Every structure is written in structure tokens, then in C-alpha cells.
């Protein structure tokens, strides 16, 4: 039935789009210089290359970077919301404006290749890939090792960003890891376009190659801001890439061991993860929490948004924070899944990250995790200067525990998990009794709780081959078991790619 539906839609789309130009798909981001301009200027002035790289980082939080005017199109954190909702850990508990409801929470986009929600992540990540290719070519090409440290650091960041983009493409467009399945085109040169799908193994090999090169190139790089990728962040991305394959756990453990031992980041404290008061409906004068400052020692990678960043209501904060004067405050409420919330012990500080007032329509919104520190309900600010987090050191502890458990190193897994939970719970002695699958299940649960709303639940769901069941505060599919590899969990290759790329005519079923 799904294939018949697609054929019918494609036939209709072909008729509707007769006369459309291939220019509909952007081949090269227009706000960047051409390859020739960057290459020529970069030979004498590395600032040109650094400026192009800065433009790439800006795309990560730019609204419309997925090629639409949709109010859920605002870069990396927008797709983090997609993943969190598909995994079920973020519930759309009230829907007044309709964003995310039909396409994401009701799974229409993953079943309909004409939906713009398939086009947005495809276009966004390939846009980053092409931009990274431009920088890599300008610094000498894929096989080059630049002579100057400055160009080494630029090359390392570009290769890491390219790998990061391909990683999310593999996660969102392949149901489950199968190395022999042809899933995506791969582009490594600025002039590459309209390529055929290649096997997942080819893409994963390229990601590993890029990230290993980046780790070497970025050795000694002292970044000027946390939005830049440094060695530890490149190692963290590689840990995710390896973990997604399901049989590279020793390498994941070695990488995360190194990050934990040799990076300056520290696990966020109780005061940093949630507001200190435990009054369910208190709004004023919070202490702690907020997840709004990139300078937090536990943040490995994030962006410091300022008034110059130009971020407003159409943003991650606008969609997630009740206090940021946008959708989350005016009727499109995102809340923690009620069943997941029920699994957080009462003495766990993270319970305080959410409004716990069943009588309120705002019940279980993240009032104590993500918030504008002014905490003005539906606050007046229409310019967002709150920061965005992409990666935390807590993720490395959790991945380390997950890797150890999968290697049957239960004692080491418990130690890594306890390093985090000792800062969240009054008593973690219960971990001593966990081993085998029960320990793996606990690590998965703690990953979902600790990283709620940060875009990592979807990745963990796939790694753990989990079946999700939505709690009662969702608006659809409550109580229905949905396995990780269900077709509703991944996006379709978008209509535009099938129409305009003659090398691709099939989906990844």
C-alpha cells in the first residue's frame, strides 16, 4: 500500500510540477563565496576561509536553512525536536497552532515523500555538506594536510562538520543500520551533484575517515568560542558514529574514556540542571537551571546567541520555552512524556525540571530545565539571546557506560553511570545490583531522562533497538508500541530529490 501511495503521489507531483526548473534545488549556498573565490583568497588570507566556516556554523541556527518558511525550520535544534518527538520522549501535549502535529507526531511526513518535513532535513544537511566541501577544497582538497596550523584547524572543523551532517542523514533516512543498504548519495567535492545512493558502509567509512582526520588536525586547537568544533567534540561525534553501528563498542569506550580524562568539561551540577525550588507552580526568582548559558562547564559544544545573531520567535527557544513569547507559551506545548516523567524518582533533581501540576494545561512542560531567566510568563522578548547546546560531557559518560555494558564490563558501566547519577540522586546504591540487560536498560532510561529535550533520545532509541510507547499526555497513538525500525520512525527521500536527481528513483524501504 505504501508503494502504491508513493507512485500515485509521484504521478500527481510530476503533472503539478511540469515546467519547474532544476533551480528549485539549491546547488550552492548563495550567501557564500564561490569555490574559485574562496580558493584564491584563501591562498593569501586565511580569514576568508575562517569567515566561510563561520557562515557554516551560522546555518546551524538560521531560520529557513531547510529551504522553507515553516516555523519549525531553524537548523540543527529544529531537527532535534523532530527526533525527540518521533522517539516519543517529547509530547505535544497541547496543539493550538498545529506545528509538529500531523507531520511529526502523527507520522504523516515519514509516510509521505511530498511533505516538506522530508525536504527540510535533507536540504539542510546536504547544504552543510556542500558548504564544508567548499572549504575543504579551498584548503587543498580531501587528501591534503595543510602546512599552517590555522589551515589545519579550518580543515579539521570542515571535515568534522561534514561527518556530523552525514551522520544525521544516516539516522533520519535509514530505518536501521544495514551496511549493505544503499541509502544516500555522497558528495565530497563542491562540483558533485545528482549522485546515486551508495551503501551505508561507504558513508560510515567516510564519516570515520573525516573524523579521524579532524581529531588529528584539531590537536592543539584552542577555539575562540564553543560554537567551533574542537578535538573533543570531533571525538564525541565519532563516538556517536561508531555506537550507531552496534559492534564498535570497544572503540566507543576508548574514545569516551579519552574525552572524560583529557577534556576540561565537568558534569553539570544539581544547581545547573534544574531550578532549586520545588514548588510546582512557582515562577518568580528561580535559582539554578535554565540551560541557557554556553559558558556552563558541562557544555562541550554550543552557540552563544546575541542580538546580532538575529534569532527570534521562529527558533528552538520559541518552540520549547514557555517564557520566550512564542508557540511554547501560547498553545503549542511540548512536555516530557508522562510515563517517562513517572520513572524519575521523587528525590531526583531532574524531576524539578518540569512543571508538576496536573490541573494545569502546562503540566510537564520544562519550566525548570529550559527557560528565559527573566521567567516572565509568555515574556515580552522577541529577540532570543539564550544559548543553544549541541553536546554535553554527560553524553560521553552515558555513552561510556553504554559501551562498557555492551562489552559485559558491568562494573565499569556502573562506575560511569554513577559519576553522573551521584549528582542527581541522594542514593545510587541500587546500581550495585544491576548487571546484564537490566543495567543496559537503566543506562538507556537515564540517557532519556538526562538528555530530555536535547535531541539525543532518537539516537539512543535506534542504538538500543527500542520500542516506544507514548504516555497519556500525547495527542495521538497513546499506548501503541512502535519499534525503532518502524517506517514511521524515519523520513522519506524527498519528492524534489526523486524528481530532479536522475540517479535516484526509489525509497529506502
Amino acid at each position: 500500500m505504501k508503494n502504491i501511495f508513493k507512485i500515485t503521489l509521484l504521478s500527481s507531483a510530476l503533472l503539478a510540477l511540469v515546467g519547474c526548473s532544476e533551480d528549485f534545488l539549491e546547488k550552492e549556498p548563495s550567501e557564500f563565496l564561490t569555490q574559485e573565490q574562496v580558493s584564491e583568497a584563501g591562498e593569501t588570507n586565511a580569514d576568508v576561509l575562517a569567515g566561510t566556516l563561520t557562515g557554516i556554523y551560522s546555518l546551524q541556527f538560521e531560520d529557513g536553512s531547510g529551504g522553507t518558511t515553516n516555523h519549525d525550520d531553524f537548523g540543527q535544534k529544529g531537527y532535534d525536536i523532530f527526533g525527540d518527538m518521533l522517539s516519543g520522549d517529547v509530547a505535544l501535549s497541547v496543539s493550538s497552532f498545529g506545528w509538529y502535529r500531523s507531520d511529526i507526531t502523527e507520522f504523516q511526513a515519514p509516510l509521505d515523500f511530498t511533505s516538506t518535513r522530508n525536504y527540510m532535513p535533507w536540504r539542510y544537511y546536504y547544504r552543510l555538506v556542500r558548504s564544508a566541501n567548499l572549504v575543504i577544497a579551498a584548503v587543498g582538497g580531501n587528501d591534503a594536510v595543510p602546512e599552517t596550523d590555522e589551515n589545519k584547524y579550518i580543515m579539521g572543523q570542515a571535515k568534522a562538520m561534514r561527518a556530523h551532517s552525514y551522520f544525521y542523514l544516516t539516522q533520519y533516512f535509514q530505518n536501521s543500520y544495514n551496511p549493505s543498504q544503499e541509502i544516500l548519495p555522497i558528495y565530497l567535492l563542491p562540483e558533485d551533484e545528482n549522485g546515486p545512493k551508495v551503501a551505508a558502509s561507504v558513508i560510515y567509512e567516510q564519516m570515520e575517515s573525516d573524523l579521524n582526520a579532524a581529531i588529528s588536525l584539531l590537536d592543539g586547537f584552542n577555539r575562540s568560542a564553543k560554537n567551533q568544533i574542537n578535538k573533543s567534540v570531533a571525538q564525541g561525534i565519532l563516538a556517536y558514529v561508531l555506537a550507531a553501528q552496534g559492534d564498535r563498542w570497544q572503540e566507543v569506550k576508548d574514545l569516551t574514556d579519552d574525552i572524560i580524562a583529557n577534556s576540561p568539561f565537568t558534569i553539570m551540577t544539581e544547581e545547573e540542571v534544574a531550578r532549586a525550588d520545588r514548588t510546582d507552580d512557582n515562577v518568580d526568582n528561580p535559582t539554578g537551571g535554565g540551560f541557557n548559558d554556553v559558558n556552563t562547564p558541562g557544555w562541550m559544544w554550543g552557540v552563544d546567541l546575541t542580538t546580532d545573531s538575529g534569532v527570534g520567535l521562529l527558533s528552538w527557544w520559541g518552540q520549547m520555552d514557555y517564557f520566550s513569547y512564542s508557540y511554547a507559551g501560547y498553545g503549542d506545548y511540548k512536555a516530557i512524556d508522562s510515563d517517562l516523567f513517572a520513572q524519575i524518582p521523587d528525590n531526583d533533581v531532574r524531576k524539578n525540571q518540569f512543571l508538576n501540576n496536573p490541573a494545569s494545561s502546562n503540566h510537564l512542560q520544562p519550566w525548570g530545565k529550559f527557560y528565559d531567566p527573566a521567567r516572565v510568563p509568555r515574556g515580552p522578548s522577541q529577540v532570543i539571546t539564550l544559548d543553544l547546546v549541541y553536546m554535553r560531557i554527560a553524553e560521553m559518560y552515558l555513552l561510556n557506560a553504554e559501551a562498557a555494558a555492551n562489552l559485559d564490563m558491568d562494573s565499569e558501566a556502573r562506575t560511569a553511570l554513577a559519576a553522573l547519577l551521584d549528582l542527581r540522586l541522594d542514593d545510587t546504591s541500587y546500581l550495585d545490583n544491576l548487571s546484564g540487560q537490566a543495567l543496559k536498560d537503566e543506562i538507556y532510561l537515564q540517557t532519556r531522562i538526562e538528555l530530555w529535550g536535547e535531541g539525543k533520545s532518537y539516537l539512543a532509541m535506534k542504538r538500543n533497538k527500542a520500542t516506544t510507547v507514548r504516555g497519556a499526555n500525547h495527542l495521538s497513538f497513546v499506548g501503541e508500541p512502535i519499534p525503532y525500525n518502524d517506517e514511521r520512525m524515519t523520513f522519506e527521500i524527498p519528492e524534489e530529490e526523486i524528481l530532479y536527481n536522475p540517479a535516484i528513483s526509489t525509497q529506502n524501504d
Side-chain angles (χ1 to χ4, degrees), residues 204-388:
Y204 275 83
E205 287 167 6
Q206 185 61 49
M207 288 190 285
E208 289 184 47
S209 174
D210 278 349
L211 289 165
N212 281 316
I215 291 166
S216 176
L217 291 164
L218 293 171
D219 191 29
F221 173 48
N222 293 314
R223 60 187 176 179
S224 59
K226 278 191 180 179
N227 69 300
Q228 299 170 325
I229 295 175
N230 65 4
K231 179 180 177 180
S232 294
V233 173
Q235 288 177 303
I237 298 169
L238 180 56
Y240 274 111
V241 169
L242 296 171
Q245 298 172 63
D247 59 357
R248 308 285 294 276
W249 292 115
Q250 186 61 57
E251 294 163 272
V252 174
K253 186 174 185 305
D254 292 343
L255 270 171
T256 51
D257 276 340
D258 188 68
I259 296 168
I260 291 167
N262 296 307
S263 68
F265 312 105
T266 55
I267 300 173
M268 291 177 70
T269 65
E270 176 177 339
E271 292 75 20
E272 290 169 334
V273 299
R275 60 191 175 97
D277 62 87
R278 292 180 178 270
T279 304
D280 292 340
D281 59 357
N282 182 64
V283 173
D284 299 324
N285 301 318
T287 57
F291 276 75
N292 48 41
D293 186 356
V294 75
N295 295 311
T296 303
W299 290 24
M300 295 176 62
W301 187 24
V303 60
D304 179 13
L305 295 183
T306 68
T307 54
D308 292 335
S309 304
V311 174
L313 303 184
L314 308 186
S315 63
W316 183 89
W317 281 100
Q319 288 286 2
M320 293 292 293
D321 175 30
Y322 173 77
F323 302 98
S324 287
Y325 188 77
S326 192
Y327 290 107
Y330 283 88
D332 275 7
Y333 298 158
K334 289 84 178 174
I336 186 173
D337 174 87
S338 56
D339 289 348
L340 179 59
F341 180 76
Q343 294 182 76
I344 305 176
D346 289 339
N347 66 346
D348 189 327
V349 64
R350 295 169 299 184
K351 195 104 175 181
N352 207 38
Q353 292 178 333
F354 307 96
L355 177 68
N356 187 10
N357 184 355
S360 170
S361 61
N362 303 106
H363 182 49
L364 299 186
Q365 277 192 277
W367 283 25
K369 181 169 186 178
F370 307 121
Y371 60 79
D372 185 323
R375 287 187 71 92
V376 177
R378 299 169 175 173
S381 176
Q382 298 185 30
V383 177
I384 302 297
T385 58
L386 310 175
D387 299 338
L388 299 172

Side-chain angles (χ1 to χ4, degrees), residues 52 87 176 436 486:
T52 305
S87 74
S176 59
D486 190 292

Side-chain angles (χ1 to χ4, degrees), residues 181-193:
Q181 183 185 16
E182 295 179 349
I183 57 170
L184 302 166
I186 189 167
Y187 303 122
L188 301 177
L189 300 171
E191 62 268 24
D192 287 348
E193 61 181 54

Side-chain angles (χ1 to χ4, degrees), residues 267-270 273 343-345 347-350 394 397-398 401 413-432 434 438-439 441-451:
I267 300 173
M268 291 177 70
T269 65
E270 176 177 339
V273 299
Q343 294 182 76
I344 305 176
N347 66 346
D348 189 327
V349 64
R350 295 169 299 184
Y397 280 88
L398 289 162
R414 289 191 293 265
T415 298
L417 186 57
L420 173 70
L421 294 186
D422 283 344
L423 299 176
R424 307 288 179 261
L425 295 164
D426 296 334
D427 181 8
T428 59
S429 60
Y430 77 97
L431 294 176
D432 296 337
L434 297 180
L439 178 57
D441 291 344
E442 182 66 16
I443 295 167
Y444 177 47
L445 172 63
Q446 294 302 329
T447 298
R448 295 169 62 200
I449 295 171
E450 177 68 23
L451 304 177

